[in-house]
Amino acid sequence: MNTVTFVLAAASAGDVVNLILAFLGGIFVAGALIWAVQLGMRVRDHELPHPSPEDQPHPPPGGAVREAREVREPDEVPHWDHGERLMPYELHASSTRTGKDQNRRRWLPGSSGSFGSGGIGHV
């Protein structure tokens, strides 16, 4: 045998080892996936059953709740002139309140336009 034969034998032996390692790695990954699916099935079998249709929520007896529309206006923070600070219970829970005028403001043609809309804007 000459040197070329030994070089080829050594190179092919390394390829065989790499092929065997890749095959064993693939078998390991496939086994891990099978184990994970079986574990998930066991966990799901121990969970509580899904609620029956009778246990699902039902609409109220008066029918479905409808949307309420109202015009809101800002609720300003109360001002104080004396030296004491405002306490949390003196503030309102919401930053808006029901407006005095409940008529919705309507868009008037030619009175406004959004930025970049290509319109002439406010005239």
Side-chain angles (χ1 to χ4, degrees):
M1 293 180 78
N2 59 14
T3 309
V4 175
T5 309
F6 287 120
V7 170
L8 288 176
S12 63
D15 290 343
V16 170
V17 170
N18 288 340
L19 184 64
I20 290 173
L21 288 177
F23 181 74
L24 291 176
I27 288 180
F28 175 76
V29 169
L33 290 173
I34 291 171
W35 174 80
V37 168
Q38 287 179 344
L39 178 67
M41 290 169 62
R42 271 187 264 140
V43 167
R44 191 165 181 166
D45 287 342
H46 292 295
E47 289 179 351
L48 295 174
H50 294 293
S52 65
E54 295 82 27
D55 295 337
Q56 299 292 334
H58 299 288
V65 178
R66 300 287 178 222
E67 178 181 327
R69 289 188 175 212
E70 64 180 2
V71 177
R72 306 285 293 176
E73 62 185 25
D75 191 12
E76 301 294 330
V77 175
H79 297 285
W80 74 99
D81 295 326
H82 51 283
E84 296 180 24
R85 64 187 178 113
L86 287 176
M87 301 305 287
Y89 56 83
E90 296 175 311
L91 300 174
H92 301 109
S94 176
S95 62
T96 61
R97 65 174 181 258
T98 303
K100 295 179 181 92
D101 182 19
Q102 287 297 311
N103 294 325
R104 289 180 56 202
R105 295 168 58 192
R106 297 292 182 185
W107 177 77
L108 299 173
S111 66
S112 66
S114 65
F115 176 77
S117 67
I120 57 173
H122 185 67
V123 185

